[in-house]
Amino acid sequence: MERIGDKVISRAEITDAASATFADSTVIPDRYARSDEVRDGVVVGSDESYELPVVDMARLLHPEFSEAEIAKLGSACRDWGFFQLTNHGVDETVVQDMKDNTLQFFGLPLEKKKAVAIQANGFEGFGHHYNRASSEKLDWAESLILVTQQHEQRNNEFWPADPSTFRVALDKYSVEMSNLTSRLTVFMASDLGVEQEALMATFQGKTQSVAFHYYPPCRHPDKVIGITPHHDGLGLTLLLHVDDTPGLQVRKNGRWYPLNPLPGALVINVGDILQILTNGTYKSAEHRVLPDVEKGRATVVMFQNACVAGIVKPLPELGEATYKAIDHVEYVKGNFRALAEGTRFVDSLKIMDNN
């Protein structure tokens, strides 16, 4: 358990009992049973036509198609807060190595994974990561969370030494995601009408962290949740599907839209800090994961932090601020408190219009 102010953020070690539950999901223990939450909101069915946005990096870079593709990027960030990025240009060998090492790590016996288990009052490591003190319910998932950037912030004791190539693979992948973030912010700046350097600088040199998730198959997917519905609290999130198993759902207008992974694509989503930086132009969307009945699902999720000279606030080029400025350290504390309460800290920073 981690105390943030007067609230408690709960995290737990994966136990032998939990591992056995994942292996045989015939009976769902009470700590995982969350049928009411699964039914919260209508899931759009396959009989209804819809398409979550897809942005093509090759078209963003092409002089003839760039303007139109930037418009698609902007529309995706405004209307959905999510898009799939194709032809992203990330080194294919680096991506494949990260996928392979992720599967090898989650495939290890529990005792070997527990070599990097989360510690008391800690944040990094392998285990359950669940955020609401008001609920002792667990997500149907195993997770490994690590800080990847900057180098001096890394806790190598939590970086798996098994598989032996894991650390090198993650180091290379981390650099690729930082570079991709820089490329994306150039086009976001163009869409927003701000100087490229202004938006890029909010991300450059800031903290980067990663969450590896494995969602075991479940015979009763209507009773469990892979990850609790939430908004990402940082700047930009870049998700790599290790396999083609679906499960991610994005909420829009009160309805859940399943995202079907495109081969070779990354999933990008706006975090709460980017919503603030853009003065509310880009929207951070609520999302969740439901497990599959037959297949496991693994993902590698990079979180890119952002701020303006240590302050979380809207970029001044975007007009009168609609969010209060706050020190980044205080923002992080407030965001943890809100997670514990099941609320959104970004809402408390909104400047109300009294006119």
Side-chain angles (χ1 to χ4, degrees):
M1 309 281 276
E2 180 179 352
R3 185 168 293 279
I4 306 290
D6 60 348
K7 299 297 179 182
V8 174
I9 306 294
S10 299
R11 299 184 177 92
E13 190 175 313
I14 300 283
T15 64
D16 292 336
S19 184
T21 296
F22 290 153
D24 181 8
S25 57
T26 304
V27 177
I28 304 298
D30 183 62
R31 291 200 75 187
Y32 294 96
R34 303 166 68 179
S35 298
D36 291 346
E37 294 178 62
V38 175
R39 292 194 295 267
D40 178 24
V42 175
V43 178
V44 176
S46 58
D47 57 334
E48 185 172 342
S49 178
Y50 71 93
E51 183 177 344
L52 270 74
V54 178
V55 176
D56 187 338
M57 179 62 85
R59 291 177 66 90
L60 286 172
L61 293 167
H62 195 289
E64 183 178 350
F65 306 117
S66 182
E67 183 177 351
E69 204 66 17
I70 288 173
K72 285 181 64 177
L73 169 67
S75 176
C77 293
R78 286 171 170 80
D79 299 337
W80 285 91
F82 266 82
F83 60 91
Q84 296 198 70
L85 182 68
T86 59
N87 297 313
H88 45 69
V90 179
D91 188 300
E92 293 182 6
T93 301
V94 172
V95 170
Q96 191 59 52
D97 286 348
M98 192 71 269
K99 288 182 176 183
D100 292 345
N101 277 273
T102 300
L103 290 178
Q104 289 172 37
F105 173 77
F106 283 120
L108 292 171
L110 178 61
E111 286 307 311
K112 288 193 174 184
K113 288 182 284 192
K114 287 169 70 173
V116 291
I118 188 168
Q119 302 299 306
N121 300 318
F123 174 76
E124 295 183 76
F126 170 75
H128 283 298
H129 295 263
Y130 55 105
N131 292 311
R132 298 203 179 165
S134 59
S135 173
E136 288 301 312
K137 296 293 186 178
L138 295 173
D139 291 339
W140 192 264
E142 296 180 354
S143 300
L144 171 67
I145 294 181
L146 302 168
V147 173
T148 47
Q149 300 285 354
Q150 299 298 316
H151 280 259
E152 61 271 17
Q153 297 172 311
R154 293 180 178 181
N155 292 317
N156 288 329
E157 63 184 293
F158 295 111
W159 284 51
D162 189 0
S164 61
T165 54
F166 186 97
R167 295 181 177 184
V168 172
L170 178 55
D171 184 61
K172 292 180 179 179
Y173 187 73
S174 168
V175 172
E176 289 281 351
M177 291 300 99
S178 293
N179 292 340
L180 179 58
T181 298
S182 294
R183 293 197 297 273
L184 282 171
T185 54
V186 167
F187 298 112
M188 289 177 175
S190 295
D191 170 67
L192 293 163
V194 302
E195 292 293 327
Q196 293 179 359
E197 287 298 327
L199 186 58
M200 288 178 65
T202 65
F203 285 91
Q204 289 176 337
K206 307 304 189 298
T207 304
Q208 179 197 70
S209 54
V210 63
F212 297 86
H213 298 302
Y214 175 67
Y215 309 94
C218 181
R219 299 184 188 183
H220 301 283
D222 57 327
K223 296 181 179 179
V224 301
I225 287 187
I227 278 192
T228 302
H230 66 285
H231 297 76
D232 289 347
L234 300 180
L236 195 68
T237 304
L238 306 94
L239 180 148
L240 170 67
H241 281 101
V242 176
D243 45 55
D244 60 358
T245 306
L248 177 62
Q249 297 181 349
V250 181
R251 197 169 206 166
K252 184 181 182 186
N253 299 326
R255 308 173 76 199
W256 292 108
Y257 289 80
L259 185 149
N260 294 313
L262 294 177
L266 293 168
V267 179
I268 314 295
N269 67 278
V270 174
D272 288 348
I273 289 181
L274 185 53
Q275 178 173 316
I276 294 171
L277 289 172
T278 63
N279 213 20
T281 302
Y282 289 176
K283 302 296 191 295
S284 171
E286 187 177 19
H287 50 288
R288 68 178 184 178
V289 173
L290 298 184
D292 189 78
V293 67
E294 294 180 347
K295 298 188 297 183
R297 177 176 181 265
T299 57
V300 181
V301 190
M302 278 286 180
F303 302 100
Q304 301 283 164
N305 213 335
C307 61
V308 180
I311 305 295
V312 176
K313 65 177 183 178
L315 292 171
E317 298 95 325
L318 294 173
E320 184 177 354
T322 58
Y323 292 92
K324 304 170 191 173
I326 183 172
D327 180 84
H328 184 267
V329 173
E330 294 304 312
Y331 172 87
V332 172
K333 291 179 181 178
N335 195 54
F336 271 119
R337 284 195 298 270
L339 282 171
E341 297 165 351
T343 60
R344 289 186 72 197
F345 185 60
V346 67
D347 292 339
S348 71
L349 299 175
K350 184 75 175 174
I351 297 174
M352 303 306 293
D353 186 356
N354 295 318
N355 295 331

